[in-house]
């Protein structure tokens, strides 16, 4: 009887120990999976980066950069964020033509694919097809609303006039209209047109 009782106790202890081991292993596996997800895919570094973006067989944008780091977008792991550095150049073309719409240069740039925002940083210079020039330290291009904007000081040279919005501006992709915020300088009526509601695209 004592022998049977001892055997039952031993089996209970073994079962409890096995269950503890199972729980421990399960927790370890979950922790490893969590760490793997946090670590994610390592970034890809590309030196001498060049990209062409087209629409219906026509080139709409060319971009060059000394270096680009590709990383999964934190909001959507299926998308890739681009971080360009070492000098960035972007040329945008009129839709369906070879005519240059705008030429942008900056020290570095970030592309946020989930929001379709392109952010140029550091000595940003934009020249459009009418030779209007914009200089600022930070410029965002909203590809859904088709506008450029910044909340920082900018210097705009347009048809000989020098405009200096202290708190930034917004403009359409073709620079046909501007909204200037807290601006100084000689401003024509045409330079302060009200912004029409931008057409948003997906």
């Amino acid at each position: 009887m004592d022998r049977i009782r001892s055997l039952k106790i031993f089996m209970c202890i073994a079962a409890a120990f096995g269950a503890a081991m199972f729980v421990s292993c399960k927790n370890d596996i979950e922790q490893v999976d969590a760490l793997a997800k946090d670590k994610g895919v390592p970034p890809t570094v590309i030196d001498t980066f060049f990209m062409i973006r087209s629409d219906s067989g026509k080139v709409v944008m060319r971009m060059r950069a000394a270096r680009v780091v590709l990383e999964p977008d934190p909001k959507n792991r299926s998308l890739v964020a681009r971080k360009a550095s070492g000098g960035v150049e972007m040329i945008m073309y009129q839709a369906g033509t070879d005519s240059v719409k705008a030429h942008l240069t900056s020290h570095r740039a970030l592309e946020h694919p989930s929001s379709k925002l392109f952010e140029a940083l550091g000595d940003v210079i934009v020249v459009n097809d009418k030779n209007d020039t914009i200089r600022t330290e930070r410029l965002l291009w909203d590809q859904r609303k088709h506008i450029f904007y910044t909340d920082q000081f900018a210097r705009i040279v347009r048809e000989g006039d020098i405009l200096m919005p202290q708190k930034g501006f917004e403009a359409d992709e073709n620079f046909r209209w501007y909204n200037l915020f807290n601006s100084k300088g000689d401003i024509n009526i045409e330079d302060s047109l009200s912004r029409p509601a931008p057409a948003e695209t997906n």
Side-chain angles (χ1 to χ4, degrees):
M1 198 76 178
D2 290 338
R3 195 170 179 183
I4 294 171
R5 187 178 176 187
S6 298
L7 185 61
K8 285 182 178 179
I9 293 171
F10 175 77
M11 289 175 69
C12 288
I13 293 171
F17 182 74
M21 286 292 291
F22 175 76
V23 171
S24 176
C25 290
K26 186 178 179 182
N27 288 341
D28 289 344
I29 291 169
E30 288 175 352
Q31 289 175 0
V32 169
D33 287 344
L35 288 171
K37 287 180 181 178
D38 290 340
K39 195 170 183 180
V41 179
T44 302
V45 179
I46 303 173
D47 290 323
T48 315
F49 177 85
F50 180 69
M51 180 182 72
I52 296 177
R53 186 170 292 167
S54 62
D55 183 14
S56 302
K58 292 287 186 179
V59 175
V60 295
M61 189 264 281
R62 296 177 188 267
M63 177 181 168
R64 298 177 185 271
R67 169 170 288 197
V68 166
V69 177
L70 306 178
E71 296 180 345
D73 189 276
K75 295 181 181 178
N76 186 341
R77 307 294 287 184
S78 65
L79 300 175
V80 177
R82 296 183 182 90
K83 297 180 179 180
S85 60
V88 179
E89 178 187 37
M90 187 170 69
I91 302 172
M92 289 171 285
Y93 296 88
Q94 299 284 359
T97 72
D98 294 327
S99 301
V100 175
K101 179 166 59 177
H103 180 263
L104 179 150
T105 58
S106 64
H107 289 321
R108 54 196 180 92
L110 305 173
E111 189 172 16
H112 310 281
S114 57
S115 59
K116 288 198 172 181
L117 282 178
F118 179 90
E119 184 177 5
L121 299 162
D123 196 20
V124 183
I125 302 173
V126 182
V127 182
N128 71 358
D129 59 342
K130 295 180 181 178
N131 213 33
D132 299 337
T133 304
I134 296 172
R135 290 176 177 268
T136 186
E137 287 301 308
R138 178 175 182 257
L139 185 69
L140 290 104
W141 173 31
D142 190 323
Q143 299 172 66
R144 286 178 176 161
K145 295 183 178 179
H146 303 288
I147 61 171
F148 286 106
Y149 66 93
T150 184
D151 58 0
Q152 297 191 12
F153 171 81
R155 189 176 188 272
I156 301 171
V157 178
R158 185 182 187 192
E159 297 178 355
D161 294 331
I162 299 176
L163 315 170
M164 293 180 289
Q166 305 295 302
K167 294 184 178 180
F169 73 93
E170 59 183 358
D172 76 328
E173 288 179 343
N174 295 314
F175 301 99
R176 289 169 299 190
W177 56 260
Y178 294 83
N179 273 340
L180 310 177
F181 308 127
N182 193 16
S183 183
K184 295 182 179 180
D186 296 327
I187 305 173
N188 296 323
I189 293 176
E190 292 182 355
D191 293 321
S192 56
L193 293 174
S194 298
R195 177 172 70 86
E200 189 165 326
T201 59
N202 293 325

